[in-house]
């Protein structure tokens, strides 16, 4: 039992170190490291899984019936192996930004920008009309130049949106 306690203590230290490094890097782990049949915990901290292992070891030492002890011993063994492999192998399920979510967010920003540019375009058209009514040809020319640049920006943005929507 002393050897098991030493292993768990070492695992707990590794988990704390691992969690600290992830906080420094501002990385999050997915909350589902292991299958629900192996661990009931759902956490993005390695320490929480070690705590569940410690609780299971406490149940094992309190168990009286041989079949319960065998079952709990098997569960402890599986959890120990899984945690050791995960913490030593650095193959933990780091949460990656889902490419689709990033793309959808970017697309939403681009559509918002498109709406803003369309608003500019409408205001420039109104300004041009006002300048013409007031017989201000210089003002109208300036507004037309702005309108031309705005429409170029709109065309570029629309092309970018189309490329993003088509997945290029």
């Amino acid at each position: 039992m002393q050897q098991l306690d030493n292993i768990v203590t070492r695992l707990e230290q590794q988990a704390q170190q691992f969690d600290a490094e992830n906080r420094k890097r501002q990385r999050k782990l997915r909350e589902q490291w292991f299958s629900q049949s192996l661990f009931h915990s759902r956490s993005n901290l390695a320490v929480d899984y070690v705590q569940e292992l410690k609780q299971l070891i406490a149940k094992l030492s309190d168990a009286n019936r041989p079949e319960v002890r065998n079952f709990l011993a098997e569960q402890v063994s599986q959890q120990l192996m899984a945690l050791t492999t995960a913490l030593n192998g650095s193959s933990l399920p780091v949460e990656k930004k889902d490419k689709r979510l990033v793309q959808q967010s970017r697309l939403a920003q681009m559509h918002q920008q498109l709406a803003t540019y369309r608003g500019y375009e409408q205001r420039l058209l109104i300004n041009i009309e006002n300048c013409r009514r007031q017989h201000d040809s210089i003002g109208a020319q300036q507004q037309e130049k702005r309108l031309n640049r705005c429409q170029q920006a709109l065309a570029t943005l629309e092309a970018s949106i189309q490329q993003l929507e088509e997945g290029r």
Side-chain angles (χ1 to χ4, degrees), residues 22 27 34 37-38 55-56 83 100 108 115 126 144 147-148:
N22 280 334
R27 286 180 12 188
F34 308 102
S37 63
L38 186 57
Q55 291 170 357
L56 191 61
L83 276 170
R100 289 173 291 146
I126 291 169
E144 286 171 354
L147 178 63
N148 189 25

Side-chain angles (χ1 to χ4, degrees), residues 3-145:
Q3 189 176 8
L4 182 61
D5 287 339
N6 291 341
I7 292 170
V8 172
T9 301
R10 193 171 44 229
L11 273 176
E12 189 170 29
Q13 290 168 349
Q14 286 177 309
Q16 289 171 348
Q17 182 180 4
F18 182 84
D19 290 341
E21 286 177 25
N22 280 334
R23 275 192 291 278
K24 273 191 240 174
R25 293 184 194 153
Q26 297 180 342
R27 286 180 12 188
K28 283 235 179 201
L29 297 174
R30 284 199 310 239
E31 287 191 5
Q32 191 165 349
W33 289 21
F34 308 102
S35 73
Q36 286 185 310
S37 63
L38 186 57
F39 283 95
H40 297 289
S41 295
R42 291 292 162 253
S43 176
N44 58 5
L45 297 174
V47 174
D48 292 340
Y49 292 95
V50 175
Q51 289 298 4
E52 183 176 330
L53 173 63
K54 288 170 91 174
Q55 291 170 357
L56 191 61
I57 291 171
K59 284 182 187 177
L60 174 62
S61 62
D62 292 343
N64 296 328
R65 297 189 349 233
E67 61 274 3
V68 173
R69 286 185 65 79
N70 288 339
F71 174 77
L72 291 175
E74 181 64 31
Q75 192 77 13
V76 165
S77 173
Q78 290 176 1
Q79 285 187 358
L80 262 174
M81 286 176 45
L83 276 170
T84 302
T85 302
L87 289 172
N88 291 335
S90 70
S91 61
L92 292 172
V94 175
E95 205 173 79
K96 296 176 185 161
K97 288 191 176 180
D98 188 351
K99 212 174 185 181
R100 289 173 291 146
L101 293 177
V102 171
Q103 187 175 6
Q104 287 173 349
S105 173
R106 177 75 178 127
L107 200 56
Q109 288 174 339
M110 291 170 85
H111 277 289
Q112 181 64 41
Q113 192 174 19
L114 186 66
T116 302
Y117 286 3
R118 293 249 186 254
Y120 294 157
E121 181 184 37
Q122 290 303 313
R123 278 187 261 152
L124 288 168
L125 287 168
I126 291 169
N127 288 347
I128 290 169
E129 193 61 38
N130 288 340
C131 287
R132 286 187 181 151
R133 267 191 245 138
Q134 296 172 359
H135 304 289
D136 182 5
S137 60
I138 294 173
Q141 285 177 344
Q142 288 175 338
Q143 295 299 316
E144 286 171 354
K145 287 179 183 178

